[in-house]
Amino acid sequence: MAGMMVAAGATVAAARRSVAAALRAARLDTPDLDARLLVGEALGLDHAGLAVAAARVLTADEARRIEAFATRRLAHEPVARILGRSQFWSLPLVVTRDVLDPRPDTETVVTAALAAIDARGPRRAVARLADLGTGSGAILLALLSELPEARGVGTDTSLAALGVARDNAGRLGLAPRAGFVACDYGGALAGGFDLVVSNPPYIRTADIATLAPEVRDFDPRPALDGGPDGLDAYRAIAADAGRLLAPGGLIVVEVGHDQSGAVVALFDTNHLARIGDPYQDFSGHRRAVLAQRQT
Ligand SMILES: C[S@@+](CC[C@H](N)C(=O)[O-])C[C@H]1O[C@@H](n2cnc3c(N)ncnc32)[C@H](O)[C@@H]1O
C-alpha cells in the first residue's frame, strides 16, 4: 500500500487532494475535512498553516506519515482516534482505544442537567455529582467546568478508561475536584449525591454487528453492549439510584432513540419521579431522561 496515495515530492496541496480523493472513492462521509485534519496532523500544521504551506514539497518521511494516517482512515478508523483527541462541550479531550469517542448527542445530558439545576435555583446547590460509566470523563468534566463549586466522581469498570479520564481532568485543571473509582456503576460509592449522570452502554447485543464500522470496530465493546434488550445498565442504575441520591437529588441518563419510555418506566418502578418530558437532541430524538429521588 505504501506510496499509493502520496509520494515524496508531491506538494502539500496535492497530498490533500489525493487523500481526499481516496477517501471519497471509499465513500467516507467527510473526505475533504478528514484529509485536511489528517494531513495537518501528519505535518504538525493547523488550517492556516496548511494553506500557507500549500506549494511546499513533501519529504519522504512526511509522505509516509500522511499515507499511514490515510490508510487507517480507509480502514474506517475515526479521525478523532487517529488524532488521539476529541472535543466535548468545547473541552479538548484525549481519547484512546480504551474509551468511547464522546458524541455530540451526549452534550444533551449536560444541557438537560444544567437546565434542571438552573430551574431549581443557584448552581452552587449542586455540591456533589457522580458520572456512572465515565469513559473519557466527558460528562463529568463538562459539568465540573460549569459548576465551579461542585466535586464529582467518575466510575468505570475499565481501569484504562479511568486513567484516560484522570489525565483529561488533570489537563483541564479539574483534577482537584474530580475523583475516579473502579466499580460497577455506583456500586462502591456512598450516597448523598445531588446529581447522578450516566451515558451507559445501551446498544442491544444483537444490533452491535449492524453498527457502522467506525463504531463497531473502534469503540470499546463494553462501552456499547447494553445486553439483550439494551436496558441492562438502566436496570442496575435505577435500582441503586435511590441509595446514591440525596433527598430531592437529580438523575439524568442518556438513552437510545427508542428507549425513553422503557427507562421512564424503570425509574417509576424504583420510586424516581420523572421530571418533565425526555430532553431532545438536535435531531429531535428523545435523548435524556430526568428524574428525582422523592424526599
Ligand atoms: C457509552 S460509554 C460512555 C462514556 C462517557 N460517559 C461518554 O459519554 O462519552 C459507557 C461507559 O460505561 C462503562 N461501563 C460499562 N459497564 C459498566 C459497569 N458495569 N459499571 C461501570 N461502568 C461501566 C464503559 O467502560 C464505558 O466507559
Side-chain angles (χ1 to χ4, degrees):
M1 268 303 266
M4 289 194 43
M5 275 167 281
V6 182
T11 64
V12 170
R16 274 177 71 174
R17 280 195 301 273
S18 47
V19 170
L23 301 182
R24 190 172 296 111
R27 298 182 179 284
L28 298 180
D29 276 349
T30 51
D32 294 306
L33 174 64
D34 292 4
R36 165 159 73 74
L37 292 169
L38 295 176
V39 173
E41 181 74 7
L43 302 179
L45 295 172
D46 63 11
H47 200 176
L50 276 175
V52 171
R56 181 163 79 63
V57 167
L58 297 174
T59 67
D61 249 14
E62 289 173 334
R64 257 194 302 277
R65 276 204 300 274
I66 294 171
E67 182 82 18
F69 284 163
T71 302
R72 286 169 68 181
R73 184 66 193 107
L74 284 170
H76 292 274
E77 185 167 351
V79 170
R81 293 202 179 279
I82 299 172
L83 269 45
R85 53 180 192 272
S86 195
Q87 257 207 358
F88 184 80
W89 200 258
S90 298
L91 302 175
L93 295 177
V94 165
V95 293
T96 69
R97 61 189 307 124
D98 299 306
V99 298
L100 187 96
D101 179 13
R103 308 292 205 274
D105 283 344
T106 299
E107 294 183 356
T108 310
V109 173
V110 180
T111 307
L114 292 174
I117 292 164
D118 289 341
R120 292 170 155 208
R123 289 190 175 186
R124 67 173 177 280
V126 176
R128 299 187 62 211
L129 65 105
D131 176 17
L132 312 181
T134 198
S136 62
I139 304 175
L140 175 70
L141 299 174
L143 284 168
L144 288 177
S145 78
E146 295 288 344
L147 302 167
E149 291 174 56
R151 296 181 162 280
V153 59
T155 71
D156 212 290
T157 40
S158 161
L159 286 178
L162 289 169
V164 174
R166 192 177 288 116
D167 287 350
N168 279 325
R171 267 185 294 272
L172 293 168
L174 295 169
R177 295 192 287 125
F180 296 95
V181 175
C183 67
D184 193 11
Y185 299 117
L189 305 180
F193 290 99
D194 305 302
L195 172 64
V196 169
V197 289
S198 184
N199 170 24
Y202 57 67
I203 312 290
R204 290 176 194 86
T205 307
D207 291 347
I208 292 177
T210 69
L211 298 174
E214 275 78 356
V215 178
R216 183 191 64 212
D217 299 341
F218 294 98
D219 280 318
R221 174 103 184 188
L224 302 176
D225 192 347
D229 65 356
L231 299 172
D232 280 0
Y234 301 109
R235 275 188 280 273
I237 291 169
D240 205 22
R243 182 186 70 81
L244 291 172
L245 288 169
L250 277 172
I251 178 163
V252 184
V253 296
E254 176 167 329
V255 296
H257 67 95
D258 57 355
Q259 292 174 323
S260 63
V263 173
V264 167
L266 276 171
F267 279 0
D268 244 23
T269 313
N270 287 279
H271 311 294
L272 300 161
R274 185 223 296 219
I275 303 176
D277 288 328
Y279 227 83
Q280 296 189 4
D281 62 22
F282 289 113
S283 324
H285 292 128
R286 295 178 174 147
R287 187 57 69 188
V289 169
L290 293 82
Q292 66 182 336
R293 182 184 141 178
Q294 287 156 344
T295 42

